[in-house]
Amino acid sequence: MNNNLINKYDLSVPRYTSYPTAPHFHDGVNGDVYKQWLAELDPKTPLSLYFHIPFCDEMCWFCGCYTKIVKRYDPVKEYLDALLAEVDLVADALPTRFTAKHLHWGGGSPTMLKGEDWMAIMNKLRERFDVADDAEIAVELDPRTATEDYVAELEAAGVNRASIGVQSYEPKVQEAIHRIQPYDMTKEVIGWLRKHSINHINMDLMYGLPHQDTTEIETMIDLTVDLQPNRIALFGYAHVPWMQSHQKMIKDEDLPGAEERWEQFTLAVERLKERGYVQVGFDHFAHPDDNMANAVETGDLHRNFQGYTTDTAPAMLGFGASAIGYLPQGYVQNERPLKSYSQAIYSGVLPAAKGIGLSAEDKLRRDIIEDIMCNLTVDLHARCHEHGANAKDFDEDLAKLEPLIRDGICIVEDGNITVSDDGRPFIRLVASVFDTYFASGVGRHSKAV
Ligand SMILES: C[S@@+](CC[C@H](N)C(=O)[O-])C[C@H]1O[C@@H](n2cnc3c(N)ncnc32)[C@H](O)[C@@H]1O
Ligand code: SF4
């Protein structure tokens, strides 16, 4: 694979953490629809729960997440009260008591919550759900604010996985992104996590940041592997200053161009593989002992709003402002503005603002796209058979794959579409061929690589 393809396919495509993707959600899915969907949920369905905490101490200039900077704890506390009330509203709408197998805290920085508040929310969850004994309880953690006592409080709350935001260890890069986090700080926090039995460690690394170059990327990978995280995510910096105005603080001239980004990405991938990590999809890596590496082997990998996951639950309930969830009937996203979110809850209404119901065709295309994104291959005939559809209906989509086949990105044989190893970085392009909404041009996305 060469730089020509990167220039040729420097396209903006969705990340396919859902299908249809979020820009196609509409306000026809409101609190009443969500309530109805919850009431219809099969009581045997194991649930995943996602909680969004949209607060941070300080803004990192690269940040693309939905968060607000707060200097006092009062707004966090008020938000938490609304979140606890939302748990009651949702649990009341369910037909019975459900088992939760995965709990994920994202943000923002969930570690803005005080230790005693972790206890309050966990107690509320155990009151309203059966939290499975072996449930995964994962928290996105900002190492800059962690102390050993705080880590012990997370352990007491039952947390057993932490995702650590790292980005880069290079001081010049850290300065340019307004996030000073020395390597030794990250190393110390990981030591505390392991000491307190939070043994599942994910690390989030980035390429394409201002001043990053291949030498730094190589060092970053080596230093990271020395810490032996169970999983590593390698995100390309998504520069979307039209959506995140603080990103304007990052100067365009300090950013690597498309070819440099490509070199950084391919170097990182090669180095991670050389050091023994298993590539998952296109931007995740798992230690060979991790169950995600196993899921790659067995074809049990899935994709949701947190990226690649081993979570197989058919329903994820999203709590908190802007949180997205999914049910067998479709996707639901909560109100984004904190005020509208809490107002809905205190009026006794589920704070769903938008979403999308899934048609039979959406469900089939979602499975095809997930197969491509997770397994790098899809058996079109088998998927169509499963959904009672005819593979002939995909002739137009297959024709759109022609240029990608010519460029060695994918192979099509007897209805099996397989992304080549070299084609992995372009996996989103292959998936987008099956996205009927993408053709409509709604939404503006980050670069494919
Ligand atoms: C919610 S943060 C992680 C938790 C915590 N707030 C922290 O920063 O340590 C989620 C992760 O998303 C990734 N991320 C944020 N903004 C991004 C952007 N513009 N492009 C690509 N990845 C981004 C970063 O890797 C970041 O660590
Ligand atoms: S990267 Fe993390 S800590 Fe920084 S602003 Fe975004 S959510 Fe907050």
Side-chain angles (χ1 to χ4, degrees):
M1 191 69 38
N2 54 47
N3 288 346
N4 291 341
L5 285 190
I6 273 300
N7 292 327
K8 181 170 174 185
Y9 292 116
D10 188 13
L11 299 175
S12 298
V13 255
R15 299 181 60 79
Y16 294 111
T17 52
S18 70
Y19 180 77
T21 54
H24 303 283
F25 293 0
H26 57 77
D27 62 10
V29 177
N30 54 20
D32 289 339
V33 173
Y34 185 31
K35 196 171 176 183
Q36 180 64 33
W37 286 0
L38 287 170
E40 289 166 3
L41 205 56
D42 179 345
K44 288 189 292 297
T45 312
L47 295 183
S48 287
L49 310 179
Y50 172 78
F51 302 87
H52 194 76
I53 306 294
F55 300 105
C56 292
D57 284 324
E58 249 187 333
M59 186 55 89
C60 308
W61 290 337
F62 68 91
C63 185
C65 307
Y66 174 51
T67 192
K68 284 193 182 333
I69 304 308
V70 284
K71 295 293 172 199
R72 291 174 308 121
Y73 195 63
D74 301 6
V76 182
K77 185 79 185 150
E78 278 165 27
Y79 179 80
L80 187 71
D81 289 341
L83 197 69
L84 294 174
E86 190 190 2
V87 171
D88 278 328
L89 273 182
V90 170
D92 287 346
L94 288 167
T96 185
R97 201 177 157 85
F98 278 69
T99 300
K101 296 193 75 100
H102 271 77
L103 278 62
H104 187 106
W105 297 79
S109 295
T111 41
M112 289 286 286
L113 295 181
K114 289 192 172 152
E116 68 251 31
D117 288 333
W118 276 108
M119 279 303 166
I121 183 87
M122 287 309 298
N123 288 343
K124 167 62 77 184
L125 291 174
R126 289 182 201 281
E127 184 191 314
R128 303 302 314 251
F129 293 91
D130 290 325
V131 178
D133 289 342
D134 61 349
E136 177 175 284
I137 306 184
V139 168
E140 292 175 12
L141 179 144
D142 180 352
R144 295 170 304 164
T145 51
T147 60
E148 184 171 356
D149 286 348
Y150 191 78
V151 169
E153 287 177 314
L154 291 179
E155 179 191 20
V159 171
N160 48 30
R161 180 178 291 280
S163 281
I164 303 181
V166 169
Q167 346 304 338
S168 154
Y169 303 116
E170 175 60 42
K172 192 172 175 192
V173 177
Q174 293 192 356
E175 211 173 293
I177 59 173
H178 198 236
R179 179 172 173 128
I180 306 301
Q181 182 184 323
Y183 178 71
D184 287 346
M185 180 190 277
T186 304
K187 187 174 172 181
E188 185 173 42
V189 172
I190 290 177
W192 293 333
L193 288 165
R194 290 195 169 123
K195 184 173 161 196
H196 289 278
S197 309
I198 303 178
N199 286 316
H200 299 283
I201 312 280
N202 296 16
M203 288 173 76
D204 292 345
L205 305 179
M206 287 177 78
Y207 67 91
L209 287 170
H211 304 298
Q212 266 186 320
D213 59 26
T214 45
T215 316
E216 195 250 305
I217 295 285
E218 195 165 356
T219 314
M220 174 173 86
I221 299 299
D222 286 346
L223 287 170
T224 300
V225 172
D226 288 348
L227 300 174
Q228 287 289 290
N230 305 72
R231 297 179 190 168
I232 297 170
L234 177 69
F235 296 127
Y237 168 49
H239 190 55
V240 286
W242 61 90
M243 283 164 74
Q244 302 285 355
S245 56
H246 52 266
Q247 290 186 348
K248 290 183 188 140
M249 298 298 289
I250 294 180
K251 295 192 200 106
D252 283 346
E253 63 265 31
D254 293 340
L255 288 172
E259 283 187 21
E260 285 167 282
R261 275 173 74 97
W262 168 248
E263 279 165 19
Q264 292 176 14
F265 175 74
T266 44
L267 178 87
V269 172
E270 284 319 308
R271 194 82 187 139
L272 281 164
K273 290 202 291 197
E274 259 169 46
R275 302 272 326 246
Y277 278 78
V278 175
Q279 189 172 10
V280 179
F282 63 108
D283 60 358
H284 281 49
F285 298 83
H287 192 278
D289 296 342
D290 189 83
N291 64 347
M292 191 173 267
N294 194 40
V296 171
E297 287 292 311
T298 55
D300 289 326
L301 194 66
H302 290 277
R303 196 155 165 83
N304 65 18
F305 292 97
Q306 282 77 57
Y308 288 103
T309 175
T310 52
D311 181 3
T312 53
M316 172 182 274
L317 309 184
F319 296 87
S322 83
I324 304 181
Y326 50 84
L327 292 161
Q329 301 94 326
Y331 296 96
V332 187
Q333 180 164 27
N334 273 351
E335 291 282 0
R336 231 174 117 89
L338 299 186
K339 209 166 163 200
S340 328
Y341 166 73
S342 55
Q343 263 171 2
I345 290 170
Y346 291 125
S347 334
V349 178
L350 288 167
K354 54 186 174 172
I356 191 164
L358 297 171
S359 66
E361 183 181 344
D362 290 337
K363 289 180 186 173
L364 169 57
R365 287 182 180 271
R366 182 180 60 168
D367 281 351
I368 293 172
I369 288 176
E370 196 180 32
D371 282 345
I372 295 171
M373 294 296 291
C374 295
N375 306 328
L376 289 99
T377 186
V378 57
D379 179 343
L380 208 51
H381 291 292
R383 278 299 186 195
C384 286
H385 183 71
E386 207 182 295
H387 286 260
N390 189 339
K392 272 255 151 256
D393 297 343
F394 286 88
D395 283 354
E396 262 183 46
D397 305 73
L398 292 179
K400 287 192 226 149
L401 283 175
E402 286 300 328
L404 301 178
I405 297 170
R406 274 198 302 276
D407 283 327
I409 289 172
C410 65
I411 303 145
V412 180
E413 240 173 27
D414 299 333
N416 283 297
I417 301 147
T418 305
V419 179
S420 68
D421 215 29
D422 281 349
R424 253 182 210 258
F426 302 94
I427 197 169
R428 290 156 64 179
L429 286 176
V430 179
S432 72
V433 162
F434 296 93
D435 176 353
T436 46
Y437 297 79
F438 184 54
S440 73
V442 178
R444 197 172 163 190
H445 304 277
S446 57
K447 297 276 182 266
V449 182

